[in-house]
Amino acid sequence: MRKLQIKPRELKIVSVIAATRSIGDAAALLGMAQANVSKYLSDFEARVGLKVFERTTRHLALTQFGESLLPYINRSLKQNERLINFIGDYKHEKRGKVTIYAPTGIITYLARYVIHEIKNLEDIHISLKTYNLSTNEFYEGVTFPDDCDILITYAQPKDENLVASTLTKYSITAFATPQYIKNHPINSPDDLINHSCILIDSMIVDDANIWRFRAHQSDQIRDYKVTGNYICDNTHAALELARNHLGIVFAPKESLQKEIEQGLMVPCFTHQEEWWLDLVTIFRKREYQPLRVQYVLDGVMNTLRKQIEQAAVGQPAQGS
């Protein structure tokens, strides 16, 4: 048996005709041509295979089937109206949860410097979750979690339907304490094979991590396989181990700015061997976002851009 397809517009037309008992009056209320209303009714009855109205010379009267059908139609229309209202409220009300994912260091930064700058949250609840990239995601694109609203990370999204807005370029390179370097001198990335490097668990391939560096005085990128005695599941813990002279860590400069200024941590290489990463905010297209997500997204993006601009004042151009 072929499944019957019924559209809400057809049900609305039948309901108004039943209320007015007139094709002409129904057409006037609906703002439609009388011929179109008549055709909708004829098509509906033909598809159903039953008459809804008996036509007399003066007006329309519901058939026995029509009398039984009308309560179902009106309940369906009310349910449809409630559904439309729910969708409208969900999209336009400033309430509910907004989930932000980011690597450990970025999550810490957001909690410390960004989230408190978003004012007038009202009934919005912000959930911060850690998402550290795997090695494959650096090359193949990052996967957007099902419950995610905003993802701030170092790679482009795998799903091309998502929006990716680049905030800035991130300098990432090898760091250690002056004491470690004094005890274990190092001159170039080629020497890393002889050193204890602090690894990130999600990036382990064959018991090693792959660290990328830009060749000295060149834009060429080279990969180096590094190993070590310590493995962490996030950069924050890896930095703590490095601060205790236990090895070399591969991290963004911004994560160690205070230690660098105080001389507690130093780059392992005197030349510009940084690998530049894009810091990217990934989100669904705005037309598919509830108001609460748009509000938090704008707050996070505006605050981060302002802080990035302030941090860039007096610094050399990126990549120089």
PDB file of all heavy atoms in Angstrom, residues 273-289:
ATOM      1  N   GLU A 273      63.604  28.490  13.740  1.00  0.00           N
ATOM      2  CA  GLU A 273      63.158  27.190  13.270  1.00  0.00           C
ATOM      3  C   GLU A 273      61.717  26.896  13.679  1.00  0.00           C
ATOM      4  O   GLU A 273      61.303  25.751  13.776  1.00  0.00           O
ATOM      5  CB  GLU A 273      64.076  26.074  13.787  1.00  0.00           C
ATOM      6  CG  GLU A 273      65.205  25.717  12.849  1.00  0.00           C
ATOM      7  CD  GLU A 273      66.550  26.172  13.372  1.00  0.00           C
ATOM      8  OE1 GLU A 273      66.577  26.764  14.458  1.00  0.00           O
ATOM      9  OE2 GLU A 273      67.559  25.953  12.672  1.00  0.00           O
ATOM     10  N   GLU A 274      60.940  27.945  13.943  1.00  0.00           N
ATOM     11  CA  GLU A 274      59.555  27.733  14.350  1.00  0.00           C
ATOM     12  C   GLU A 274      58.720  27.098  13.237  1.00  0.00           C
ATOM     13  O   GLU A 274      58.997  27.276  12.065  1.00  0.00           O
ATOM     14  CB  GLU A 274      58.874  29.060  14.734  1.00  0.00           C
ATOM     15  CG  GLU A 274      59.457  29.737  15.949  1.00  0.00           C
ATOM     16  CD  GLU A 274      60.409  30.836  15.541  1.00  0.00           C
ATOM     17  OE1 GLU A 274      60.967  30.740  14.434  1.00  0.00           O
ATOM     18  OE2 GLU A 274      60.609  31.772  16.329  1.00  0.00           O
ATOM     19  N   TRP A 275      57.717  26.388  13.671  1.00  0.00           N
ATOM     20  CA  TRP A 275      56.668  25.927  12.764  1.00  0.00           C
ATOM     21  C   TRP A 275      55.452  26.795  13.054  1.00  0.00           C
ATOM     22  O   TRP A 275      55.003  26.886  14.192  1.00  0.00           O
ATOM     23  CB  TRP A 275      56.369  24.454  13.023  1.00  0.00           C
ATOM     24  CG  TRP A 275      55.226  23.893  12.213  1.00  0.00           C
ATOM     25  CD1 TRP A 275      54.813  24.283  10.975  1.00  0.00           C
ATOM     26  CD2 TRP A 275      54.349  22.827  12.594  1.00  0.00           C
ATOM     27  NE1 TRP A 275      53.745  23.533  10.554  1.00  0.00           N
ATOM     28  CE2 TRP A 275      53.433  22.623  11.526  1.00  0.00           C
ATOM     29  CE3 TRP A 275      54.247  22.017  13.715  1.00  0.00           C
ATOM     30  CZ2 TRP A 275      52.439  21.656  11.565  1.00  0.00           C
ATOM     31  CZ3 TRP A 275      53.259  21.042  13.750  1.00  0.00           C
ATOM     32  CH2 TRP A 275      52.370  20.863  12.683  1.00  0.00           C
ATOM     33  N   TRP A 276      54.929  27.452  12.029  1.00  0.00           N
ATOM     34  CA  TRP A 276      53.794  28.351  12.222  1.00  0.00           C
ATOM     35  C   TRP A 276      52.486  27.598  11.988  1.00  0.00           C
ATOM     36  O   TRP A 276      52.254  27.022  10.938  1.00  0.00           O
ATOM     37  CB  TRP A 276      53.885  29.542  11.266  1.00  0.00           C
ATOM     38  CG  TRP A 276      54.982  30.479  11.642  1.00  0.00           C
ATOM     39  CD1 TRP A 276      56.266  30.473  11.193  1.00  0.00           C
ATOM     40  CD2 TRP A 276      54.890  31.556  12.567  1.00  0.00           C
ATOM     41  NE1 TRP A 276      56.985  31.480  11.780  1.00  0.00           N
ATOM     42  CE2 TRP A 276      56.161  32.163  12.620  1.00  0.00           C
ATOM     43  CE3 TRP A 276      53.858  32.065  13.346  1.00  0.00           C
ATOM     44  CZ2 TRP A 276      56.432  33.266  13.439  1.00  0.00           C
ATOM     45  CZ3 TRP A 276      54.119  33.159  14.158  1.00  0.00           C
ATOM     46  CH2 TRP A 276      55.395  33.742  14.202  1.00  0.00           C
ATOM     47  N   LEU A 277      51.639  27.615  13.014  1.00  0.00           N
ATOM     48  CA  LEU A 277      50.317  27.000  12.926  1.00  0.00           C
ATOM     49  C   LEU A 277      49.246  28.085  12.850  1.00  0.00           C
ATOM     50  O   LEU A 277      49.399  29.157  13.440  1.00  0.00           O
ATOM     51  CB  LEU A 277      50.036  26.148  14.166  1.00  0.00           C
ATOM     52  CG  LEU A 277      50.802  24.849  14.338  1.00  0.00           C
ATOM     53  CD1 LEU A 277      50.444  24.233  15.684  1.00  0.00           C
ATOM     54  CD2 LEU A 277      50.464  23.882  13.225  1.00  0.00           C
ATOM     55  N   ASP A 278      48.176  27.796  12.144  1.00  0.00           N
ATOM     56  CA  ASP A 278      47.020  28.685  12.172  1.00  0.00           C
ATOM     57  C   ASP A 278      46.192  28.382  13.415  1.00  0.00           C
ATOM     58  O   ASP A 278      45.910  27.219  13.716  1.00  0.00           O
ATOM     59  CB  ASP A 278      46.139  28.476  10.933  1.00  0.00           C
ATOM     60  CG  ASP A 278      46.769  29.039   9.673  1.00  0.00           C
ATOM     61  OD1 ASP A 278      47.577  29.982   9.786  1.00  0.00           O
ATOM     62  OD2 ASP A 278      46.472  28.532   8.582  1.00  0.00           O
ATOM     63  N   LEU A 279      45.828  29.432  14.153  1.00  0.00           N
ATOM     64  CA  LEU A 279      44.873  29.275  15.239  1.00  0.00           C
ATOM     65  C   LEU A 279      43.499  29.557  14.640  1.00  0.00           C
ATOM     66  O   LEU A 279      43.224  30.668  14.192  1.00  0.00           O
ATOM     67  CB  LEU A 279      45.172  30.238  16.384  1.00  0.00           C
ATOM     68  CG  LEU A 279      44.235  30.124  17.595  1.00  0.00           C
ATOM     69  CD1 LEU A 279      44.353  28.743  18.224  1.00  0.00           C
ATOM     70  CD2 LEU A 279      44.536  31.201  18.618  1.00  0.00           C
ATOM     71  N   VAL A 280      42.644  28.532  14.602  1.00  0.00           N
ATOM     72  CA  VAL A 280      41.401  28.590  13.832  1.00  0.00           C
ATOM     73  C   VAL A 280      40.195  28.394  14.751  1.00  0.00           C
ATOM     74  O   VAL A 280      40.209  27.541  15.641  1.00  0.00           O
ATOM     75  CB  VAL A 280      41.396  27.483  12.747  1.00  0.00           C
ATOM     76  CG1 VAL A 280      40.104  27.516  11.940  1.00  0.00           C
ATOM     77  CG2 VAL A 280      42.598  27.636  11.826  1.00  0.00           C
ATOM     78  N   THR A 281      39.172  29.199  14.527  1.00  0.00           N
ATOM     79  CA  THR A 281      37.881  28.987  15.186  1.00  0.00           C
ATOM     80  C   THR A 281      36.936  28.347  14.184  1.00  0.00           C
ATOM     81  O   THR A 281      36.728  28.872  13.089  1.00  0.00           O
ATOM     82  CB  THR A 281      37.283  30.311  15.680  1.00  0.00           C
ATOM     83  OG1 THR A 281      38.202  30.958  16.558  1.00  0.00           O
ATOM     84  CG2 THR A 281      35.982  30.058  16.434  1.00  0.00           C
ATOM     85  N   ILE A 282      36.372  27.189  14.552  1.00  0.00           N
ATOM     86  CA  ILE A 282      35.499  26.431  13.657  1.00  0.00           C
ATOM     87  C   ILE A 282      34.092  26.407  14.250  1.00  0.00           C
ATOM     88  O   ILE A 282      33.915  26.182  15.459  1.00  0.00           O
ATOM     89  CB  ILE A 282      36.027  24.993  13.485  1.00  0.00           C
ATOM     90  CG1 ILE A 282      37.449  25.020  12.892  1.00  0.00           C
ATOM     91  CG2 ILE A 282      35.103  24.173  12.597  1.00  0.00           C
ATOM     92  CD1 ILE A 282      38.134  23.665  12.889  1.00  0.00           C
ATOM     93  N   PHE A 283      33.096  26.639  13.401  1.00  0.00           N
ATOM     94  CA  PHE A 283      31.715  26.643  13.870  1.00  0.00           C
ATOM     95  C   PHE A 283      30.777  26.391  12.688  1.00  0.00           C
ATOM     96  O   PHE A 283      31.190  26.457  11.525  1.00  0.00           O
ATOM     97  CB  PHE A 283      31.367  27.976  14.542  1.00  0.00           C
ATOM     98  CG  PHE A 283      31.793  29.193  13.766  1.00  0.00           C
ATOM     99  CD1 PHE A 283      30.949  29.790  12.840  1.00  0.00           C
ATOM    100  CD2 PHE A 283      33.052  29.741  13.962  1.00  0.00           C
ATOM    101  CE1 PHE A 283      31.343  30.911  12.126  1.00  0.00           C
ATOM    102  CE2 PHE A 283      33.463  30.869  13.247  1.00  0.00           C
ATOM    103  CZ  PHE A 283      32.603  31.449  12.327  1.00  0.00           C
ATOM    104  N   ARG A 284      29.538  26.089  12.996  1.00  0.00           N
ATOM    105  CA  ARG A 284      28.532  25.903  11.953  1.00  0.00           C
ATOM    106  C   ARG A 284      28.140  27.258  11.363  1.00  0.00           C
ATOM    107  O   ARG A 284      28.300  28.291  12.012  1.00  0.00           O
ATOM    108  CB  ARG A 284      27.292  25.198  12.509  1.00  0.00           C
ATOM    109  CG  ARG A 284      27.573  23.787  13.009  1.00  0.00           C
ATOM    110  CD  ARG A 284      26.301  23.134  13.544  1.00  0.00           C
ATOM    111  NE  ARG A 284      26.589  21.800  14.087  1.00  0.00           N
ATOM    112  CZ  ARG A 284      26.918  21.572  15.343  1.00  0.00           C
ATOM    113  NH1 ARG A 284      27.022  22.585  16.196  1.00  0.00           N
ATOM    114  NH2 ARG A 284      27.171  20.340  15.760  1.00  0.00           N
ATOM    115  N   LYS A 285      27.614  27.239  10.144  1.00  0.00           N
ATOM    116  CA  LYS A 285      27.178  28.477   9.517  1.00  0.00           C
ATOM    117  C   LYS A 285      26.169  29.177  10.414  1.00  0.00           C
ATOM    118  O   LYS A 285      25.346  28.546  11.075  1.00  0.00           O
ATOM    119  CB  LYS A 285      26.552  28.188   8.154  1.00  0.00           C
ATOM    120  CG  LYS A 285      27.561  27.662   7.138  1.00  0.00           C
ATOM    121  CD  LYS A 285      26.895  27.342   5.812  1.00  0.00           C
ATOM    122  CE  LYS A 285      27.911  26.807   4.806  1.00  0.00           C
ATOM    123  NZ  LYS A 285      27.284  26.440   3.514  1.00  0.00           N
ATOM    124  N   ARG A 286      26.233  30.504  10.430  1.00  0.00           N
ATOM    125  CA  ARG A 286      25.413  31.272  11.364  1.00  0.00           C
ATOM    126  C   ARG A 286      23.918  31.031  11.196  1.00  0.00           C
ATOM    127  O   ARG A 286      23.163  31.099  12.165  1.00  0.00           O
ATOM    128  CB  ARG A 286      25.725  32.769  11.235  1.00  0.00           C
ATOM    129  CG  ARG A 286      27.045  33.140  11.893  1.00  0.00           C
ATOM    130  CD  ARG A 286      27.303  34.622  11.836  1.00  0.00           C
ATOM    131  NE  ARG A 286      28.549  34.954  12.527  1.00  0.00           N
ATOM    132  CZ  ARG A 286      28.619  35.301  13.799  1.00  0.00           C
ATOM    133  NH1 ARG A 286      27.518  35.384  14.524  1.00  0.00           N
ATOM    134  NH2 ARG A 286      29.774  35.591  14.362  1.00  0.00           N
ATOM    135  N   GLU A 287      23.474  30.756   9.962  1.00  0.00           N
ATOM    136  CA  GLU A 287      22.039  30.529   9.766  1.00  0.00           C
ATOM    137  C   GLU A 287      21.556  29.257  10.454  1.00  0.00           C
ATOM    138  O   GLU A 287      20.344  29.063  10.625  1.00  0.00           O
ATOM    139  CB  GLU A 287      21.684  30.488   8.277  1.00  0.00           C
ATOM    140  CG  GLU A 287      22.451  29.462   7.462  1.00  0.00           C
ATOM    141  CD  GLU A 287      23.653  30.060   6.752  1.00  0.00           C
ATOM    142  OE1 GLU A 287      24.313  30.943   7.343  1.00  0.00           O
ATOM    143  OE2 GLU A 287      23.927  29.643   5.608  1.00  0.00           O
ATOM    144  N   TYR A 288      22.501  28.382  10.861  1.00  0.00           N
ATOM    145  CA  TYR A 288      22.130  27.162  11.566  1.00  0.00           C
ATOM    146  C   TYR A 288      22.429  27.247  13.063  1.00  0.00           C
ATOM    147  O   TYR A 288      22.315  26.245  13.773  1.00  0.00           O
ATOM    148  CB  TYR A 288      22.856  25.958  10.966  1.00  0.00           C
ATOM    149  CG  TYR A 288      22.566  25.745   9.495  1.00  0.00           C
ATOM    150  CD1 TYR A 288      23.591  25.611   8.565  1.00  0.00           C
ATOM    151  CD2 TYR A 288      21.265  25.689   9.028  1.00  0.00           C
ATOM    152  CE1 TYR A 288      23.322  25.432   7.216  1.00  0.00           C
ATOM    153  CE2 TYR A 288      20.981  25.502   7.682  1.00  0.00           C
ATOM    154  CZ  TYR A 288      22.015  25.375   6.781  1.00  0.00           C
ATOM    155  OH  TYR A 288      21.741  25.208   5.453  1.00  0.00           O
ATOM    156  N   GLN A 289      22.795  28.411  13.542  1.00  0.00           N
ATOM    157  CA  GLN A 289      23.152  28.566  14.948  1.00  0.00           C
ATOM    158  C   GLN A 289      22.012  29.187  15.750  1.00  0.00           C
ATOM    159  O   GLN A 289      21.398  30.162  15.303  1.00  0.00           O
ATOM    160  CB  GLN A 289      24.370  29.484  15.101  1.00  0.00           C
ATOM    161  CG  GLN A 289      25.674  28.936  14.630  1.00  0.00           C
ATOM    162  CD  GLN A 289      26.790  29.942  14.841  1.00  0.00           C
ATOM    163  OE1 GLN A 289      26.586  30.984  15.445  1.00  0.00           O
ATOM    164  NE2 GLN A 289      27.957  29.635  14.332  1.00  0.00           N
TER     165      GLN A 289
END
